[in-house]
């Protein structure tokens, strides 16, 4: 009897594998971090082989922890850090270079040069892909690898190299090279995909000098991608979903209809609003992206991205060594009545939506002799809430939607100080499920629907558990003052690196 769905949740700092049962409950979790590589300031890389080996290890570990066997797993669903770019040799299966991570800013100048060369290119990219020209996306990362990895361009032109985001890389390895595919949600984040015509765009492939032979087949998020090689889990398991982490979280929250909004707090912060079959193009820095489905219907979402959320807390822990365990940040923030005028703008790799400034850098302002580590911790947590509000304001403005509450997920949602401050600064309730694993849950739901483990969307909604609710409590005058000073701090961070 098939008892479980396995969700492989490949994130920016760790790989996880989670087994879900028929009631949508978590049966077992295995997680392992992998190294971050910083060759130069603003550059971020991962070793693709490290990711594959770590992901396989946690998959096997989650089965062992559950006391299960492979024959009890109905399907595997994959969700992944998006935009991160891998290029590998078709014959050997080995990467030609480290993966360039979504946070990496090495191609910012290349994007600027392209915009300078062609005044109409930015508009074409926006209209075609729903994105704005930025080093964040995969296109310029692929081009960089082809230009700088030894012999890569010649091999690519000869049809010997393949490109994939991390979902594609994992599917390739799970199937021992039999399947080279991605889903629409990940394809829509490459800056190479026409989200209306549902195809790789020939003009953008030409602009970035990328041979079409490198690109994966594109499927719905919930679809039969193939089966795992029998040698990995002792028998074949169907791979039945692949979906970018943020679209996966939207699906995991059961945000199936236009106007539904969720925010995921992970390494970065990502807010998505479902817009249904309507492709809404933002004029104020939001992105239009493809939402997850299990059929050929194309649904859309508006998205705003904050580059540093959990990464800012990681910086306090590993960079400044202010504490040994991130759990203590809640107590530290509550221990002081405010930040004593300190603001942190964690623009370590630039600012995302709605500012889109790759030349911004991290800034701390307002320090006096009375500043303590508690003030710095509180200011960093507050910065996550401020950045989220900046996105929400634009999203509501452009969509005309009314927000009754913000659905949230991700590890940082366990921090009660941050969740309460988020509700206070936005002026709307923040609603957090008991299970903060909406990202993995989305991949599991999509895979489960594909194989009939769950019947339909209505059944998925019935699986949603209890939710914590944080209602706004801050008085308007205090909120206005805090937001005013946040805007001042932002201005000091912008454009710090000279172009």
């Amino acid at each position: 009897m098939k008892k479980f769905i396995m969700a492989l949740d490949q994130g920016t700092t760790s790989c996880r594998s989670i087994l879900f049962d028929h009631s949508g409950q978590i049966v077992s979790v295995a997680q392992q971090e992998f190294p971050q590589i910083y060759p130069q300031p603003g550059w971020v890389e991962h070793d693709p082989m490290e990711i594959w080996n770590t992901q396989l290890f946690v998959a096997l570990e989650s089965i062992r922890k559950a006391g299960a066997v492979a024959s009890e797993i109905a399907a595997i669903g994959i969700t992944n850090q998006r935009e991160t770019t891998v290029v590998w040799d078709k014959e050997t299966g080995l990467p030609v270079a480290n993966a360039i991570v979504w946070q990496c800013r090495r191609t910012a100048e290349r994007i600027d040069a392209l915009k300078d060369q062609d005044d109409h290119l930015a508009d074409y990219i926006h209209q075609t892909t729903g994105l704005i020209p930025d080093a964040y996306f995969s296109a310029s990362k692929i081009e960089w690898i082809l230009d700088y990895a030894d012999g890569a361009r010649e091999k690519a032109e000869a049809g010997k190299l393949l490109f994939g985001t991390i979902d594609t890389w994992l599917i390739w390895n799970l199937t021992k090279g039999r399947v080279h595919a991605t889903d629409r949600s990940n394809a829509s984040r490459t800056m190479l995909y026409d989200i209306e015509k549902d195809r790789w765009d020939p003009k953008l492939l030409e602009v970035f000098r990328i041979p079409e032979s490198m690109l994966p087949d594109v499927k719905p998020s919930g679809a039969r991608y193939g089966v795992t090689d029998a040698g990995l889990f002792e028998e074949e398991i169907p791979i039945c979903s692949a979906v970018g982490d943020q679209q996966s979280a939207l699906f995991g929250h059961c945000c199936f209809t236009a106007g539904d909004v969720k925010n995921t707090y992970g390494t970065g912060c990502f807010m998505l609003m479902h817009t249904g079959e309507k492709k809404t193009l933002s004029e104020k820095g939001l992105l239009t992206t493809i939402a997850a489905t299990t059929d050929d219907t194309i649904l859309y979402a508006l998205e705003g991205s904050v580059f540093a959320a959990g990464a800012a807390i990681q910086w306090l822990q590993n960079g400044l060594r202010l504490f040994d365990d991130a759990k203590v940040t809640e107590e530290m923030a509550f221990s002081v009545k405010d930040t004593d005028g300190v603001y942190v703008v964690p623009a370590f790799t630039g600012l995302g939506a709605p500012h889109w400034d790759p030349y911004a850098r991290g800034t701390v302002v307002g320090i006096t002799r009375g500043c303590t580590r508690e003030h710095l911790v509180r200011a960093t947590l507050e910065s996550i809430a401020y950045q989220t509000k900046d996105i929400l304001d634009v999203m509501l403005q452009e969509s005309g939607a009314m927000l009754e509450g913000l659905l949230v997920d991700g590890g940082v949602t366990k921090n009660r100080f941050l969740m309460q401050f988020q509700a206070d600064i936005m002026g709307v309730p923040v609603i957090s499920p008991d299970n903060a694993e909406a990202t993995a849950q989305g991949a599991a739901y999509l895979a489960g629907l594909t194989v009939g483990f769950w019947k339909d969307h209505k059944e998925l909604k019935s699986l949603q558990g209890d939710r914590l609710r944080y209602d706004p409590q801050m008085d308007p005058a205090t909120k206005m003052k805090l937001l005013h000073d946040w805007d001042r701090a932002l201005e000091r961070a912008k454009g710090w690196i000279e172009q």
Side-chain angles (χ1 to χ4, degrees), residues 36-317:
Q36 307 296 299
I37 303 165
Y38 306 104
Q40 295 182 31
W43 290 30
V44 191
E45 295 179 357
H46 291 155
D47 178 344
M49 296 307 298
E50 189 92 45
I51 286 177
W52 162 237
N53 290 327
T54 304
Q55 191 65 71
L56 179 60
F57 170 78
V58 295
L60 293 166
E61 184 67 6
S62 68
I63 296 172
R64 187 194 66 77
K65 278 186 169 183
V69 291
S71 59
E72 295 176 309
I73 297 170
I76 290 174
I78 297 171
T79 182
N80 58 288
Q81 52 164 320
R82 302 170 305 170
E83 297 96 19
T84 295
T85 297
V86 187
V87 175
W88 66 94
D89 189 297
K90 197 175 183 178
E91 293 170 5
T92 67
L94 295 175
V96 300
N98 277 338
I100 302 181
V101 180
W102 59 272
Q103 299 158 311
C104 188
R105 307 308 299 170
R106 76 183 64 184
T107 57
E109 288 184 8
R110 166 64 172 149
I111 296 292
D112 287 344
L114 278 174
K115 288 190 288 188
D116 290 342
Q117 285 169 23
D118 183 349
D119 294 340
H120 304 295
L121 183 61
D123 187 56
Y124 182 83
I125 287 173
H126 190 213
Q127 293 291 330
T128 305
T129 70
L131 310 176
I132 65 166
D134 196 83
Y136 175 28
F137 307 110
S138 309
S140 59
K141 300 181 193 298
I142 303 169
E143 182 186 47
W144 192 96
I145 291 173
L146 295 186
D147 284 341
Y148 290 98
D150 189 31
R153 186 158 292 284
E154 292 76 12
K155 282 186 179 178
E157 298 291 352
K160 294 181 178 179
L161 296 187
L162 298 176
F163 151 73
T165 41
I166 297 295
D167 59 312
T168 304
W169 172 242
L170 291 179
I171 291 167
W172 171 268
N173 282 287
L174 285 165
T175 63
K176 285 288 174 79
R178 290 191 298 273
V179 180
H180 181 225
T182 189
D183 86 305
R184 289 193 185 108
S185 72
N186 276 295
S188 74
R189 309 297 296 187
T190 59
M191 212 164 74
L192 296 170
Y193 201 72
D194 188 323
I195 62 173
E196 204 161 355
K197 293 180 180 173
D198 192 24
R199 67 175 192 186
W200 298 111
D201 184 71
K203 178 176 176 177
L204 292 174
L205 293 180
E206 190 179 328
V207 167
F208 290 100
R209 301 174 299 133
I210 296 168
E212 193 165 2
S213 60
M214 294 181 68
L215 304 177
D217 295 333
V218 183
K219 297 174 178 280
S221 301
R224 291 181 178 268
Y225 283 80
V227 295
T228 62
D229 185 76
L232 295 176
F233 300 103
E234 296 182 351
E235 68 172 73
E236 295 176 345
I237 304 173
I239 303 166
C240 290
S241 76
V243 56
D245 51 10
Q246 302 316 316
Q247 288 96 331
S248 189
L250 192 70
F251 203 89
H253 276 296
C254 294
C255 293
F256 302 138
T257 55
D260 291 344
V261 185
K262 72 87 198 172
N263 194 39
T264 298
Y265 299 77
T267 302
C269 230
F270 301 88
M271 185 179 291
L272 267 71
M273 173 185 280
H274 206 299
T275 61
E277 293 184 34
K278 183 183 177 188
K279 185 179 98 172
T280 303
L281 289 176
S282 169
E283 294 180 5
K284 296 186 177 177
L286 299 181
L287 307 174
T288 305
T289 198
I290 294 182
T293 64
T294 54
D295 57 29
D296 286 330
T297 309
I298 297 186
L299 301 176
Y300 298 99
L302 273 177
E303 176 173 336
S305 311
V306 169
F307 292 160
I313 299 169
Q314 241 181 0
W315 165 66
L316 295 177
Q317 180 176 340

